[in-house]
Amino acid sequence: MTGRHASGVRAGRAARWASLVAIVAVAVPGAIGADSPTAGSDQAEAPAPVRVDHPVEVDPLLRSATGPQHVLVRLRGRSASQGVSTSSVRSAQRSFAVDAFRVAPSAQVVGSVDSLLNGVFLTVEAKELPALAALPDVYRISKVKDYEKSLSETVPYIGADVLHGGGNTGAGITVAVLDSGIDYTHEAFGGAGTVEAYDAAHDDPVAPTGFPTARVTKGYDFVGEEWPNADLAPDADPIDAVGGHGTHVADIIGGTLGVAPDVDLWAIKVCSAVDTACSGQAMVEGFDYAFDPNNDGDSSDHADIVNMSLGSPYGQAFDDDLSYMVDQATAGGMLSVAA
């Protein structure tokens, strides 16, 4: 995937939500008229919901929350990986968004996923969450939780050299690394390994110089360079910071001296360039990207393996949506490896 193609994928998703905002701006200046879209009108063509009798699940962390909240609203309709056309999923999401703006005026759509999970990211005032939960299309509302990069121990000796001697070097396998990006100019991945090469690659996030490469063949930056000190600012350049965590992880997996030196690596940047945090929204979007990288509804081009050397605190009372996506991806033939 070229930088232009990767940018096109994200641009397509952004355009989809830009057009939605335009629709909502026209449809919801006040009360919705009889000709305005509703949940029933677009949902009619979608297959039966997953579990229509299931009460709406609301994250316990949201029950006593106040002020603006960053949430993921999972809809009752199925995702594309469950046999529904992408257009039907997106139609249901557009219909939900119109209703969401009607009952929760503060709601703003900030993203969506449709391959492994039918969900819409919103920022919304906590006091309006009960109205959202009452909408018929809503299955679950989760507070978006961020993650932390994890690489507390080096990989022990596992006999990889024996595998290499037998010709097992990972050739033909794709590994998507959800992390802080990959420095694809590094000599461990066949790059020049110079400051000049790194600076040139980092200069243009829209059409990065030298990306993709023969080793880092796909990728996208779902966070940008300043989050969490600023809003998420996705771009087409998933390059890591110098000495970054994602580069370290990718080197262990598939660097010149790595466990599988001939795998194709995908750099999916979901962790901050200036902090240890990994965006919960970017994680969900990045995982969805790994399953359908060109967002065309055909997941046959998914990564073979997804690696997540990160995690969140144990003992959370509310299962996270990423775990659900892992289950869906597993059913779709993609292996997930997590810290």
Side-chain angles (χ1 to χ4, degrees):
M1 177 182 290
T2 64
R4 183 177 304 168
H5 191 184
S7 179
V9 170
R10 183 68 192 196
R13 289 173 169 156
R16 173 156 60 94
W17 285 112
S19 64
L20 168 60
V21 171
I23 292 171
V24 171
V26 173
V28 197
I32 295 182
D35 294 331
S36 300
T38 64
S41 61
D42 279 332
Q43 190 77 1
E45 297 181 359
V50 178
R51 292 160 65 185
V52 295
D53 59 341
H54 192 288
V56 175
E57 299 177 354
V58 178
D59 192 330
L61 293 175
L62 293 170
R63 292 173 187 167
S64 59
T66 59
Q69 301 296 314
H70 185 195
V71 301
L72 172 59
V73 179
R74 192 193 302 179
L75 304 183
R76 291 185 182 275
R78 300 179 185 275
S79 64
S81 68
Q82 296 170 312
V84 183
S85 71
T86 302
S87 61
S88 292
V89 179
R90 293 174 183 174
S91 176
Q93 291 178 350
R94 289 192 296 271
S95 179
F96 158 74
V98 171
D99 280 351
F101 280 103
R102 175 171 55 82
V103 302
S106 72
Q108 295 185 35
V109 174
V110 294
S112 69
V113 289
D114 49 48
S115 296
L116 292 168
L117 182 150
N118 182 357
V120 178
F121 289 100
L122 298 175
T123 57
V124 61
E125 288 290 331
K127 64 184 180 182
E128 295 175 346
L129 289 171
L132 282 178
L135 291 175
D137 288 347
V138 174
Y139 178 85
R140 169 183 169 112
I141 302 178
S142 309
K143 184 177 180 64
V144 175
K145 306 175 188 71
D146 299 328
Y147 299 79
E148 294 289 332
K149 292 174 283 191
S150 175
L151 191 65
S152 58
E153 299 180 1
T154 57
V155 175
Y157 178 72
I158 58 173
D161 55 339
V162 176
L163 293 174
H164 296 169
N168 298 303
T169 59
I173 301 297
T174 55
V175 181
V177 181
L178 269 66
D179 213 291
S180 61
I182 298 175
D183 177 7
Y184 47 81
T185 71
H186 198 287
E187 60 185 358
F189 310 109
T194 64
V195 173
E196 292 76 16
Y198 178 85
D199 288 344
H202 202 272
D203 283 346
D204 186 354
V206 176
T209 301
F211 180 76
T213 71
R215 295 298 323 287
V216 185
T217 58
K218 277 189 176 68
Y220 198 82
D221 179 355
F222 286 91
V223 290
E225 298 303 306
E226 298 182 25
W227 181 88
N229 299 327
D231 291 340
L232 294 172
D235 61 57
D237 189 0
I239 196 162
D240 195 7
V242 175
H245 185 275
T247 301
H248 186 180
V249 170
D251 185 29
I252 294 170
I253 295 169
T256 305
L257 301 177
V259 174
D262 289 328
V263 296
D264 287 340
L265 295 164
W266 293 5
I268 303 179
K269 187 173 177 179
V270 297
C271 300
S272 174
V274 295
D275 193 270
T276 61
C278 304
S279 162
Q281 176 171 332
M283 283 293 303
V284 171
E285 292 176 330
F287 200 93
D288 212 55
Y289 172 96
F291 193 72
D292 184 6
N294 56 5
N295 198 223
D296 64 353
D298 178 2
S299 62
S300 61
D301 54 351
H302 65 70
D304 295 308
I305 302 169
V306 174
N307 186 88
M308 297 174 285
S309 292
L310 42 82
S312 56
Y314 290 109
Q316 291 184 357
F318 198 64
D319 293 339
D320 70 9
D321 296 288
L322 191 60
S323 299
Y324 171 85
M325 295 179 78
V326 168
D327 289 342
Q328 297 302 306
T330 300
M334 187 168 73
L335 174 66
S336 302
V337 180

